[in-house]
Amino acid sequence: MVFYASVNGEITPAEEARVSVLDNGFTFGDAVYETLRTYAGRPFHLDRHLERLRRSAQRLGIPMPADGALTRDLDALLARAANPESYIRIIVTRGRGDISYHFDRVQGPTVVMVVKPLAPFPPAHHTDGVPVILSSVRRNHPRALDPAIKSCNLVNNILAVQEAQAKGAFEPIMLNETGEIAETASANVFLVKDGALLTPPLDAGILPGITRLVVLELARGLALPTREEPVAVKDLLAADEVFITSTLKEVLPVATIDGRPVGDGHPGPVTRRLLEAIRDYAPRNSG
Ligand code: PDD
């Protein structure tokens, strides 16, 4: 299976792609990224992903090429890879530096895109739900490293995922510093209670997920009451349904939390309806 990469527009098999060991992305994690996927070969909501990438880069003062240039490079890479469906990672680093905090010496940015065949989840993940844990690792405090910045500095997430994997769980749900639900290591969290859809607000210290926003939009279209409000652990444990959302996971039902079944332990009607809705919406918004 060949992965392809583009480094500042130069396309090669990913194995042959080269970035300097002096690149700030490597030496400092001084980089931002986006993960996208295709439907019918075309990226889902490229517009929203590029907008968020630009916002992340701005927060770090990393200059960004124009959307037109990024889109052209991505189109060329997708054409070269010719996968039926692709996983896409776009990384923008500050560039090549001298292993110091002298940002004026950095030559950049470095724009890396990697495309690999999309490996779908086993269908049972979506039909039966997945086990999650409440992680002992807190999500980064927004005043330390704001989770709204989608940075390549993923150590906070790695610590939580390692804990989840050690416990045989699919994902860790992380709390914020005040002990409310924040998000998982790679997805946003929703719950359904008495027919209403609840999700933590952006100021809970989370990534503004693109799937999260699409789900809120779809829910409103389905006349489901939605609320963005702080979610306590006890609310999550008492929910009728819980699901997590991301580009790759779409709407993924949670079957158990720390081994305790959510609702009756099977994906509920609201979750199933929203999964169906996003799978209908996504191909129509991939271009
Ligand atoms: N993860 N929260 C975190 C911490 C994430 O890393 C992600 C995305 C999300 C969901 O965002 P979106 O719906 O825009 O994909 C929430 C991607 C998929 C990743 O890490 O590869």
Side-chain angles (χ1 to χ4, degrees):
M1 188 188 297
V2 185
F3 299 0
Y4 284 92
S6 152
V7 178
N8 291 331
E10 189 189 333
I11 298 175
T12 59
E15 281 293 311
E16 293 164 26
R18 292 288 174 264
V19 173
S20 168
V21 293
L22 294 178
D23 195 283
N24 268 38
F26 180 68
T27 53
F28 288 92
D30 185 9
V32 294
Y33 80 101
E34 284 292 323
T35 300
L36 295 85
R37 61 155 292 177
T38 63
Y39 290 87
R42 300 301 304 157
F44 174 56
H45 266 318
L46 180 60
D47 51 347
R48 294 188 186 186
H49 281 282
L50 291 184
E51 191 189 318
R52 188 172 63 189
L53 186 64
R54 196 167 291 284
R55 265 186 279 133
S56 296
Q58 225 160 32
R59 293 282 299 274
L60 292 179
I62 294 177
M64 274 264 293
D67 281 4
L70 292 169
T71 304
R72 268 195 307 282
D73 285 355
L74 180 58
D75 280 344
L77 184 61
L78 285 170
R80 173 74 173 270
N83 299 318
E85 296 296 359
S86 296
Y87 167 109
I88 302 162
R89 170 74 56 121
I90 304 178
I91 299 166
V92 181
T93 85
R94 193 179 306 277
R96 195 178 65 251
D98 64 354
I99 327 184
S100 79
Y101 285 110
H102 291 284
F103 302 113
D104 53 320
R105 297 179 189 162
V106 178
Q107 308 279 313
T110 307
V111 180
V112 175
M113 300 180 182
V114 182
V115 158
K116 56 181 187 172
L118 184 76
F121 290 110
H125 280 26
H126 283 94
T127 53
D128 301 346
V130 295
V132 305
I133 60 156
L134 289 167
S135 178
S136 67
V137 179
R138 295 285 164 112
R139 190 70 175 117
N140 285 325
H141 192 290
R143 283 161 67 181
L145 175 53
D146 190 346
I149 304 171
K150 197 159 174 55
S151 91
C152 292
N153 222 302
L154 287 166
V155 175
N156 178 229
N157 315 49
I158 288 169
L159 290 172
V161 169
Q162 283 177 332
E163 182 186 24
Q165 289 179 353
K167 293 182 172 173
F170 181 78
E171 275 280 306
I173 291 184
M174 302 165 82
L175 312 182
N176 62 21
E177 267 311 301
T178 54
E180 293 154 357
I181 303 299
E183 59 183 341
T184 85
S186 63
N188 293 109
V189 178
F190 283 81
L191 69 85
V192 180
K193 186 68 183 174
D194 301 328
L197 194 59
L198 272 73
T199 194
L202 297 183
D203 65 11
I206 60 173
L207 183 77
I210 287 160
T211 320
R212 172 186 181 277
L213 182 60
V214 167
V215 163
L216 287 170
E217 290 167 354
L218 290 170
R220 286 170 197 139
L222 294 167
L224 284 169
T226 62
R227 297 205 302 272
E228 293 173 67
E229 63 182 33
V231 174
V233 169
K234 67 171 176 29
D235 300 331
L236 194 76
L237 297 176
D240 301 323
E241 305 178 30
V242 174
F243 62 86
I244 60 178
T245 63
S246 83
T247 296
L248 301 174
K249 298 175 183 73
E250 301 171 306
V251 167
L252 184 62
V254 170
T256 59
I257 302 172
D258 287 336
R260 282 183 274 187
V262 174
D264 65 5
H266 299 287
V270 175
T271 306
R272 284 188 276 118
R273 183 75 195 86
L274 287 168
L275 174 59
E276 197 181 297
I278 199 164
R279 285 186 168 167
D280 173 63
Y281 171 94
R284 292 188 282 106
N285 289 277
S286 303

